Amino acid sequence: MDFLSESLGFLFQYPFWAVFVSMVIVATLLAFWGAPLWVWAIGGFVVLWGFSAPAWLFVVYGALVLLFNIKAIRRTVLTGPLMKLLDTLNFLPVISETERTAIEAGNVWVDAELFSGKPDLERLASESYPELSDDEQAFLEGPVEELCSMVDDWDVYVRKGFTDEVWDYMREHKFFGLIIPEEYGGYNFSATAHSAIIAKLASRCGPLATTVMVPNSLGPAELLMHYGTQEQKDRYLPELATGEEMPCFALTESTAGSDAGAMTAEGEVFKGEDGELYIRLNFEKRYITLAAISTIIGLAFKLEDPENHLGKGKDLGITCALIPSDTEGIRLGRRHDPLGIPFYNCPINGDDAVVSIDQIIGGPEQAGNGWQMLMESLGVGRGISLPAQSAGGAKVATRAIGAYTAVRRQFGINIGKFEGIEEPMARIGGFNYLMDAARRYTCAALDTGEKPAVITAIAKYNFTELGRKIVNDAMDIQGGAGISRGPRNIFAHQYTALPIAITVEGANILARSLMIFGQGAIRCHPYAYNEIDALTRGDVKAFDDVFWKHIGHIVRNTARAFLLSVTRGSIASSPVGGAASTYYKKLSWASASFAFLADVALGSYGGGLKIKEKISGRFADILSWMYLATTTLRRYDAEGQKEEDRIFFEWAMQYAFAQIQEAFDAIYREIQVPGLSWLFRGPIALWSRMNRIGAMPSDELGHRVAQAMQKPGRQRDRLTDGIYLPGDKEQAMGRYDYALQALEDAEAVYKKIYKATKKKELPKTQPRFVIEEALEKGIISSEEAELIREAEDARLDLVQVDEFTLEEYQNQTPAPPLKTTGDMNVQS
């Protein structure tokens, strides 16, 4: 008893709180800065010496230091038994071969920084922000502009396709060879250019963008470029570039949608009578875009080699091959009707269709490697096509709704001044700014050779979801004009087509729950995948090397999350100054909290986290919005932190961090941590709500965004740069621009009339009804009267909707355009 009291007496020489607080402060600071183990060891000795600890405690502490720092001892005493326990408990997730291929497809990029808890902000702020090359810009301003002028969206829907002239133009100008190298007759355009082209085409006609983007995304050309034999490249790429060969890619089946590994399409290797090897194919595919007009099919199927002709075993796995559409046994089915959107889409069946073994993409050597091909190609394509379509639609909405709300009047004022209208307008403008930032940032990575599968999944999911919100808001603002189809309506077809973008290239529910965080937690985490791999192989040395680093990672992020939360990120550094600085610091705070919570979830659920899709979805939301915030920060700085853009930047950043906060709140509310759920659902959740990382943009900020959208000029043009503007006031977008400019030109005249009305020199009514009286009384000049007539005619014309006779409606043909003359509506 005397020994115990003497041994512990040093604790009573100092207040307990002093000892405890000192230890916590030292440990927190060491963890925050990520100090190595030897620094921790020295720090511990210093603390013990400072408090005059007895000799035996130094001995015990020294033994622990040796245990954790001498790997041979640590592996025997700690790591080995721990591995056996984890294996017995099935703690870590089992990764199938198809999952492993998906996880290993592509590479990690800035997603790893955001996942780390200590992102390199200098790197995030200096990622490439490229411009188009001269050739790419010339193509955008030349053939793309011309193609848009040749296509009328309403006419495409009426005829359910394009004219021969449009098809010939696309082939002549090699719109199907955007990504094909120049030596094979293509353009070899960058991902940035590819994206810009699709965005512009989408701003004119959705089916046009789809028709161009599919051959340039996941399809035979993409696969041939990366995996094809030289003979296959020489044979097919030149004709794919010119459209002589029209490709499609057949992956989806009735029972194999999101779970492509469940496909039943099969091929069997056999030796023909001529001694050559062939494949007999049987399959049923559906939802295959361009299939109805295809000449060459990229086909994914499971390949079997019963007699082992290829020397690779009997069950080779998923394989990709090129199949001529006119092969005997191939049947191109009848058309699907995806919500009435007129792009070619149909099923394909194969019954004992026979092709040469050399039709495997990459030749027989690539038999069984199809899943890897698909994962890598999809991982790239998700970052370009659908995000570009959504970004183009966002710009259209920003430009059109800005004009419409400035022109449309109710209760005597422009509807753009109503707060109920300003709210959805701010979302449209803010999302537009954010989406174009993310589009360019993502494509820049692809242009430098990155293949960030998690990032492109973030792009596909979030762009299509934000696109859905934008179009819904635009439809709500336009009301009756939004739901009346016809040549004047810009949004109805976008609204109808949106579920298609949500569904294809990885349905959004799947993308959010499984791909972004489910795969991201393993792929982007600095240690998780290597731990799983080492545990699976029973490699104690490899597991030991990574596991204890993981523990240090957890300790570091716990300290960072705590200190950054307490200081609201102020102790973090920022790579830039100005308005962006605060948000970079918040990004460090969000990353640390995210990384800490991700490890809590991994530790709590173990392998079961794979099926906890609600929790995974909320983690995916945080990771997504950290990425979108990063791209917006990069855009604002790269474009010179323009003061006129600050309101759009601030709105987007505040919205992003509000979404992050909402996801954190949901995780704290629902997470299950053995023995500690009460801590996260109680004190930590309360602290998070009191010390919020973000809140929704203020009404005042939203007001300023909405008002800026209604002003013609340089800023509006920059925010909507890259879409097709017809310049013809008889076309839908041209009508919006003309009306807005006409009102701007007549603004001074309107002020004169309003002033005269206030003085009771003119009756209180709509300006168009008092033009002649104002002219007679000398309130306005004849030139001013003409300005306001034009403005009022344009205003009245803009709010008209299309009308059809019964015969026209039944035949789905457009009515003649409405023209307005003075106060009368005249149908020509």
Side-chain angles (χ1 to χ4, degrees):
M1 195 72 180
D2 290 338
F3 170 77
L4 183 62
S5 60
E6 289 177 9
S7 299
L8 299 181
F10 83 101
L11 289 175
F12 301 103
Q13 296 175 24
Y14 309 94
F16 176 76
W17 65 267
V19 178
F20 179 76
V21 170
S22 297
M23 294 177 68
V24 168
I25 290 174
V26 171
T28 302
L29 292 176
L30 290 175
F32 183 83
W33 283 306
L37 280 176
W38 65 268
V39 175
W40 279 83
I42 293 173
F45 278 116
V46 169
V47 171
L48 292 176
W49 176 79
F51 285 104
S52 303
W56 70 267
L57 197 54
F58 276 96
V59 173
V60 172
Y61 180 74
L64 291 174
V65 169
L66 292 175
L67 173 63
F68 282 98
N69 282 274
I70 298 178
K71 293 182 179 180
I73 298 175
R74 187 177 67 202
R75 290 168 188 161
T76 302
V77 176
L78 293 177
T79 307
L82 178 63
M83 282 185 67
K84 291 179 181 179
L85 177 62
L86 294 175
D87 189 47
T88 300
L89 296 175
N90 294 318
F91 182 74
L92 295 178
V94 177
I95 302 177
S96 67
E97 279 304 310
T98 53
E99 287 177 308
R100 185 182 297 274
T101 300
I103 290 169
E104 293 178 350
N107 66 327
V108 294
W109 180 49
V110 298
D111 40 342
E113 296 287 354
L114 298 172
F115 227 105
S116 72
K118 191 180 181 181
D120 183 348
L121 298 182
E122 290 283 353
R123 177 193 176 183
L124 299 183
S126 59
E127 285 291 334
S128 175
Y129 194 76
E131 301 291 339
L132 299 179
S133 70
D134 291 342
D135 288 344
E136 291 168 342
Q137 189 65 44
F139 188 81
L140 200 65
E141 295 174 357
V144 177
E145 183 81 7
E146 179 64 21
L147 179 59
C148 287
S149 72
M150 295 171 65
V151 174
D152 177 86
D153 187 60
W154 177 252
D155 181 68
V156 170
Y157 276 77
V158 168
R159 70 170 60 247
K160 299 188 182 303
F162 307 115
T163 64
D164 290 342
E165 181 186 14
V166 169
W167 280 108
D168 290 343
Y169 190 86
M170 287 192 285
R171 291 188 174 97
E172 178 187 353
H173 291 274
K174 298 185 287 190
F175 274 85
F176 306 116
L178 301 179
I179 64 172
I180 293 175
E182 292 181 65
E183 60 263 36
Y184 298 105
Y187 291 113
N188 196 32
F189 281 162
S190 65
T192 300
H194 182 184
S195 170
I197 291 165
I198 297 303
K200 188 165 188 172
L201 295 176
S203 73
R204 180 59 165 172
C205 175
L208 179 64
T210 299
T211 300
V212 171
M213 81 185 192
V214 168
N216 289 290
S217 184
L218 175 62
E222 175 77 18
L223 295 174
L224 282 170
M225 285 162 50
H226 295 291
Y227 307 103
T229 65
Q230 191 59 52
E231 183 180 355
Q232 289 172 339
K233 293 177 182 179
D234 292 339
R235 161 67 180 85
Y236 290 108
L237 287 179
E239 293 185 353
L240 287 169
T242 59
E244 294 174 66
E245 292 278 14
M246 184 57 61
C248 69
F249 194 85
L251 175 62
T252 306
E253 302 176 4
S254 300
T255 57
S258 297
D259 180 14
M263 69 175 65
T264 58
E266 60 182 14
E268 182 178 307
V269 179
F270 70 96
K271 183 175 288 188
E273 294 180 358
D274 57 2
E276 299 295 325
L277 295 180
Y278 295 89
I279 303 174
R280 181 177 292 105
L281 295 162
N282 288 279
F283 59 89
E284 293 182 359
K285 301 287 186 177
R286 67 176 183 180
Y287 306 148
I288 312 305
T289 302
L290 297 184
I293 58 170
S294 68
T295 61
I296 188 78
I297 302 165
L299 181 71
F301 57 95
K302 290 182 176 178
L303 182 62
E304 295 181 355
D305 187 4
E307 298 181 20
N308 198 22
H309 291 297
L310 299 179
K312 301 175 73 172
K314 295 183 179 181
D315 185 3
L316 300 179
I318 295 175
T319 300
C320 294
L322 295 172
I323 314 298
S325 298
D326 60 2
T327 298
E328 186 177 353
I330 300 292
R331 290 181 288 110
L332 302 181
R334 296 181 296 175
R335 290 281 295 271
H336 293 308
D337 184 5
L339 294 175
I341 310 303
F343 64 90
Y344 287 103
N345 194 270
C346 77
I348 305 177
N349 293 336
D351 298 313
D352 290 331
V354 175
V355 296
S356 167
I357 195 77
D358 293 326
Q359 294 299 116
I360 294 175
I361 296 176
E365 294 77 12
Q366 290 293 336
N369 292 337
W371 187 240
Q372 179 182 346
M373 294 181 185
L374 294 173
M375 290 300 97
E376 291 188 355
S377 298
L378 276 168
V380 172
R382 285 192 188 100
I384 301 174
S385 299
L386 291 171
Q389 273 194 311
S390 299
K395 290 184 178 185
V396 168
T398 299
R399 193 171 186 93
I401 289 299
Y404 185 83
T405 54
V407 172
R408 175 72 164 160
R409 294 172 63 86
Q410 292 289 275
F411 307 104
I413 61 174
N414 303 341
I415 66 170
K417 294 180 179 178
F418 295 148
E419 289 192 358
I421 297 294
E422 285 182 346
E423 193 169 15
M425 282 188 72
R427 287 195 291 267
I428 292 171
F431 290 159
N432 173 47
Y433 185 86
L434 176 146
M435 289 167 70
D436 208 42
R439 179 187 69 83
R440 293 188 63 173
Y441 197 90
T442 305
C443 288
L446 300 176
D447 286 333
T448 58
E450 302 285 353
K451 295 183 178 181
V454 172
I455 291 295
T456 55
I458 287 173
K460 187 272 174 180
Y461 168 74
N462 286 280
F463 272 73
T464 52
E465 290 294 342
L466 292 177
R468 172 154 57 181
K469 292 179 180 179
I470 286 172
V471 175
N472 281 342
D473 281 336
M475 294 284 284
D476 288 349
I477 289 170
Q478 286 206 321
I483 63 173
S484 300
R485 291 180 66 237
R488 291 170 170 267
N489 192 320
I490 287 179
F491 298 110
H493 291 156
Q494 287 189 49
Y495 178 85
T496 306
L498 269 167
I500 300 174
I502 298 294
T503 300
V504 300
E505 291 190 14
N508 278 9
I509 291 175
L510 168 75
R512 175 176 178 259
S513 300
L514 297 180
M515 295 172 64
I516 296 174
F517 184 74
Q519 292 183 10
I522 297 174
R523 187 65 193 275
C524 303
H525 192 287
Y527 305 111
Y529 183 67
N530 290 332
E531 285 174 323
I532 295 170
D533 182 61
L535 188 65
T536 302
R537 293 185 290 107
D539 189 334
V540 177
K541 181 179 181 299
F543 187 80
D544 178 83
D545 287 343
V546 72
F547 177 78
W548 297 106
K549 290 178 181 178
H550 189 171
I551 296 300
H553 172 79
I554 294 171
V555 172
R556 185 199 71 183
N557 284 327
T558 303
R560 285 182 59 81
F562 172 73
L563 289 178
L564 288 169
S565 177
V566 168
T567 62
R568 296 193 55 76
S570 62
I571 61 173
S573 61
S574 171
V576 303
S581 176
T582 298
Y583 295 111
Y584 269 113
K585 293 180 178 183
K586 280 193 172 189
L587 189 60
S588 284
W589 174 12
S591 176
S593 299
F594 170 81
F596 163 70
L597 268 183
D599 275 315
V600 169
L602 287 168
S604 300
Y605 295 102
L609 187 59
K610 287 173 62 174
I611 60 173
K612 294 295 182 181
E613 296 178 8
K614 295 175 185 176
I615 286 289
S616 291
R618 287 151 188 160
F619 276 108
D621 293 342
I622 298 172
L623 184 59
S624 292
W625 283 102
M626 285 196 296
Y627 177 68
L628 296 174
T630 299
T631 66
T632 306
L633 283 162
R634 180 69 180 109
R635 174 182 182 175
Y636 185 60
D637 189 56
E639 295 181 355
Q641 296 198 17
K642 291 182 173 66
E643 185 59 32
E644 63 187 10
D645 287 348
R646 182 166 176 174
I647 53 175
F648 291 90
F649 165 74
E650 293 274 10
W651 193 97
M653 295 306 299
Q654 291 178 27
Y655 186 92
F657 281 102
Q659 304 315 299
I660 291 171
Q661 177 65 45
E662 182 179 326
F664 273 132
D665 288 344
I667 291 171
Y668 291 137
R669 185 175 63 247
E670 299 293 341
I671 195 168
Q672 297 177 6
V673 184
L676 293 175
S677 295
W678 63 271
L679 179 63
F680 286 90
R681 297 179 182 182
I684 294 178
L686 178 61
W687 170 251
S688 176
R689 290 193 295 271
M690 293 172 58
N691 186 46
R692 300 178 69 81
I693 198 170
M696 289 293 286
S698 68
D699 291 346
E700 172 58 25
L701 183 57
H703 163 76
R704 294 171 64 194
V705 169
Q707 294 308 305
M709 290 168 61
Q710 299 175 58
K711 296 293 183 183
R714 189 169 63 91
Q715 185 185 31
R716 180 170 179 265
D717 291 341
R718 282 193 306 102
L719 290 171
T720 59
D721 179 54
I723 62 174
Y724 177 69
L725 301 175
D728 176 3
K729 66 178 183 179
E730 296 301 322
Q731 295 191 43
M733 182 58 81
R735 185 175 283 111
Y736 283 93
D737 282 348
Y738 174 76
L740 181 63
Q741 190 60 54
L743 262 69
E744 181 75 8
D745 294 341
E747 184 177 6
V749 189
Y750 278 109
K751 288 181 179 178
K752 287 185 177 183
I753 290 178
Y754 293 149
K755 186 176 180 180
T757 301
K758 194 172 182 180
K759 291 181 178 179
K760 298 186 179 180
E761 295 173 358
L762 293 173
K764 188 175 182 180
T765 185
Q766 295 180 32
R768 62 194 178 104
F769 293 130
V770 296
I771 296 174
E772 298 304 323
E773 187 175 348
L775 183 59
E776 290 174 4
K777 292 183 177 181
I779 296 171
I780 59 176
S781 67
S782 57
E783 291 80 6
E784 290 173 328
E786 185 59 29
L787 278 176
I788 204 166
R789 283 194 195 98
E790 290 180 5
E792 286 296 292
D793 285 350
R795 183 200 299 277
L796 191 59
D797 181 55
L798 182 64
V799 300
Q800 302 303 314
V801 298
D802 293 288
E803 301 171 2
F804 304 88
T805 66
L806 181 59
E807 181 181 3
E808 288 168 340
Y809 181 73
Q810 289 175 335
N811 293 328
Q812 298 186 52
T813 57
L818 283 171
K819 295 183 179 180
T820 56
T821 305
D823 303 331
M824 298 293 292
N825 292 340
V826 180
Q827 183 157 339
S828 57

